Every structure is written in structure tokens, then in C-alpha cells.
Amino acid sequence: MIPTTTVRNTLQIDYLPAELAVTLANDPSVMALIHFTGSASSSQAGGVEITVGLPQLNTQKRVEVWRTQHHISWHQRENITFCTAGEMLFGHVLLEEGSSPNLEHISEQAYRSLLDLTAQQGYPHLIRIWNYFPNINQEQDQQERYKRFCIGRHRACAKSEGFEKRLPAATAIGTHSAGFLIYFLASKTPGQQIENPRQVSAFQYPIIYSPKSPCFSRAILKAWHGQSDLYISGTASVVGHETRHLNDGMGQLQESLHNIQQLLKEASQQTGATVEILQKRMLLKIYLRQVEDLAPTDAQINSLFEPDTPRIYLQADICRQDLLLEIDGYSSFPPG
Ligand code: 3EB
């Protein structure tokens, strides 16, 4: 039932039918089992299972499963639950915001503790990180919460010199349920930063988007033993630093896919793999602000990617008010 024979040595990420979740939760090869369900009143986490409070729009519900053939050892340090397996450390932090939240402070603390932890454990290179919290577009003390998050994250990341060259690929998305949730992959050895020539690097954005720039790379390429992985950040309809195609979901989709295509080209130039190979092995996570964009988005993705490309659709708030959608990508391919 569960395709265990296909589990890669280092890391195998799949979007599997949600019915398998109970079995997977007890499978010793599973490092992370991520549920996406808007029925959760708050995001949840503990041990191998993480629940992100975002409604899943797929008709056949899926769970995201991270598996490895390495031995997994589990740990808890203060707020961080994590496991190590070979060259990888996977961890998550879930914080309550309380009645008078200070998101700047919460973000800074969360990032400081995960940066400290990964360094102490000997996995100092952040590869990929997901950030989920509610009311991302709402103002809190005259500042949008996404910007407050960026300020706190920047305070923690900018502590080390040359940090712009060591930023992970990232996603920052608004949920409709309580809890500030981060999960991440770190490694003993560095990945390779990929930026998009069509876009200003996020860490160099002008201050209109945030008083302190968003600390992430457009993509990270990582060579593990026996496989190479491309982790593509949440990618939206941004050209230069500006949002394109205002109020036009399908226009934004085209532009986002163009940006992903460009990242695949950049990554392809750094590896032996062709754009076609990278694209053929993609997993996509698609965040839609408007449910009505689901059918046309899915049709468009079917026409550009392999029809069996695994994908999860989530209803979510995107970090800029004017962005209607955003797409995460992951591709794993044989090393060159
Ligand atoms: C953009 O291109 C869209 O702040 O971590 C995408 C991915 C975006 C990650 C983040 C923000 C973040 O600027 C927004």
C-alpha cells in the first residue's frame, strides 16, 4: 500500500493519500508527517506529526510525508522538536501568540533558538523553512503582521556576517488558525543559493515591502549522498520587486510559473540535470487566496507539467495583500 521500496537513501518527500496517515505516523522511516486541514482551530505539532491550519482544496486529501533510510533519532530542546538522520536535521517550533502578541519578538526568538540549536547540533546550514501564522495581512500597532515577522526574522538572521549568502529557501503564509508555526530542514554541509535574474533578491527588497528585508533565497540546491534536491521558495507574481497582474489570478499564475521556470534554468546550469528532468520530478504546493482560481489553476498546471505531478492546493493568505497565489516547488534528481 505504501510505496516503501521507492524511499531514497537520504530523503524522500511525497504527497500521499491522507488515509495512510495513521500507518505512516508509526513508520520508523518517517521524519515528518504534515497534515493540512482548515478544520484545526489551531496549528498542532508534536513528534513526527505537524498540522498546518490551512484548508486543503484537493478532492482526494493528501498528507506530506518525509522519509529516509537513515536511522532517525528524536529530540526536544525547549520549544523545538527535532530529529536528526544522516546529514539532515528536521525540526519544528509551534508558539502561542497569547492575548497581546508581539510578533516581532516571537519571530526573533523562534529564529534565534532554531539558529542556535542547529549550530550546536552540528547542522548549521538552513536549507528550507516554512513559516505559518494567522492574520498575516492584518495590522498590529500600525504595522502589517508580515512586516513585523520580517523585522524579527531579520534581527535574528543578521547577527552573523555575510548572512545574505546563507539564507534558506522559504515560505511565509497566512493561516486562519491560531499558532505561530515554523518547520525547517537543516544540514551539516551547505546548499547552494539560487537567485532569480527576473527578480530583485528578497534580501535586497526596498523598504516599502518591509522595514527590514525578507531573509530568504529564491531556491536552494542541495547535493546529498546519492541525490540532489532543489528546494524552491514560495514563488509569486513578482517581477523586479513589484507585484504584477493586479486582481488577475490567471495572470499571476502565468508569471509565477515563469519565475519557477527561470529558477529551473538557473538550477540546471549548476548541475548536470536538464530543465526537463527537474520539471518532471517536481512536487508543487499551491496556495490560493481565492478558491475560484482552483479549477483554472489546475488546468494550467496540467498543461505545463506532467499530468501526474503531485500537488497540494491550500486556501491561504499570501504575504502581500495584492498577491493572489504562491507556489512552493521541490524536485529531487540523480546527482550529475
Ligand atoms: C515574494 O516573492 C513573495 O518572507 O519568507 C515568498 C516566499 C514571499 C517567502 C518570506 C515571502 C517569503 O516576495 C513573498
Side-chain angles (χ1 to χ4, degrees):
M1 187 105 171
I2 303 169
T4 42
T5 49
T6 62
V7 174
R8 284 186 204 94
N9 196 32
T10 299
L11 176 61
Q12 172 88 32
I13 304 179
D14 294 290
Y15 299 155
L16 297 177
E19 302 87 76
L20 300 176
V22 178
T23 312
L24 288 161
N26 297 304
D27 183 327
S29 72
V30 174
M31 303 170 67
L33 175 59
I34 305 159
H35 302 264
F36 297 92
T37 166
S39 61
S41 61
S42 60
S43 294
Q44 293 159 23
V48 72
E49 291 190 80
I50 299 171
T51 299
V52 180
L54 287 174
Q56 190 177 147
L57 302 174
N58 298 41
T59 345
Q60 298 235 309
K61 302 292 182 260
R62 301 263 153 183
V63 284
E64 178 172 343
V65 187
W66 291 48
R67 285 181 288 178
T68 183
Q69 289 194 19
H70 287 287
H71 172 76
I72 303 174
S73 76
W74 290 92
H75 311 270
Q76 177 84 37
R77 262 322 118 76
E78 290 163 26
N79 296 317
I80 307 178
T81 305
F82 66 98
C83 67
T84 52
E87 286 226 25
M88 301 176 293
L89 183 154
F90 181 93
H92 63 257
V93 193
L94 175 63
L95 300 174
E96 279 180 36
E97 288 196 65
S99 50
S100 55
N102 180 340
L103 190 56
E104 253 172 66
H105 183 73
I106 290 170
S107 310
E108 181 181 354
Q109 288 306 316
Y111 269 80
R112 260 179 214 255
S113 53
L114 75 84
L115 290 170
D116 286 349
L117 174 99
T118 49
Q120 279 164 14
Q121 298 289 320
Y123 298 79
H125 304 282
L126 273 185
I127 303 294
R128 183 60 166 101
I129 189 159
W130 283 266
N131 307 275
Y132 295 110
F133 55 91
N135 306 317
I136 196 167
N137 300 131
Q138 275 176 30
E139 300 231 327
Q140 203 170 302
D141 303 323
Q142 285 93 51
Q143 183 89 278
E144 194 186 32
R145 275 164 58 82
Y146 172 65
K147 296 180 182 172
R148 294 211 171 274
F149 159 72
C150 284
I151 295 167
R153 173 173 60 178
H154 191 278
R155 265 196 212 125
C157 293
K159 281 194 56 166
S160 67
E161 215 175 306
F163 69 97
E164 286 107 334
K165 295 269 156 250
R166 291 193 300 274
L167 295 172
T171 296
I173 282 287
T175 63
H176 292 163
S177 46
F180 175 84
L181 173 67
I182 291 181
Y183 55 87
F184 59 93
L185 174 67
S187 172
K188 289 186 177 177
T189 50
Q192 185 182 344
Q193 181 177 33
I194 308 270
E195 291 299 308
N196 185 341
R198 304 184 77 233
Q199 299 181 308
V200 173
S201 290
F203 51 85
Q204 291 171 340
Y205 274 171
I207 58 169
I208 42 168
Y209 303 106
S210 171
K212 289 290 174 187
S213 61
C215 293
F216 69 95
S217 301
R218 295 299 180 187
I220 295 288
L221 196 56
K222 181 78 186 90
W224 306 105
H225 290 296
Q227 76 189 73
S228 286
D229 285 3
L230 177 65
Y231 302 86
I232 299 181
S233 288
T235 302
S237 179
V238 172
V239 179
H241 55 74
E242 286 169 347
T243 300
R244 291 285 167 88
H245 314 284
L246 295 178
N247 304 312
D248 170 12
M250 289 311 98
Q252 291 201 11
L253 176 64
Q254 297 276 19
E255 202 70 72
S256 306
L257 293 171
H258 191 163
N259 280 329
I260 288 178
Q261 203 65 32
Q262 187 66 47
L263 289 168
L264 295 179
K265 271 189 208 150
E266 301 298 315
S268 164
Q269 283 164 16
Q270 305 295 324
T271 65
T274 61
V275 169
E276 291 68 34
I277 293 270
L278 296 175
Q279 178 152 341
K280 221 178 146 103
R281 292 157 175 267
M282 287 278 275
L283 304 188
L284 299 171
K285 197 174 292 148
I286 303 125
Y287 304 92
L288 299 175
R289 198 186 279 278
Q290 313 177 137
V291 181
E292 62 267 30
D293 286 336
L294 176 62
T297 298
D298 199 48
Q300 182 68 23
I301 286 176
N302 277 334
S303 74
L304 283 175
F305 292 82
E306 298 287 316
D308 61 356
T309 299
R311 67 201 89 166
I312 292 181
Y313 287 100
L314 301 167
Q315 189 187 2
D317 293 336
I318 319 300
C319 66
R320 287 186 194 180
Q321 296 263 13
D322 54 14
L323 286 175
L324 298 173
L325 55 92
E326 189 172 299
I327 305 175
D328 290 352
Y330 170 74
S331 183
S332 186
F333 52 98

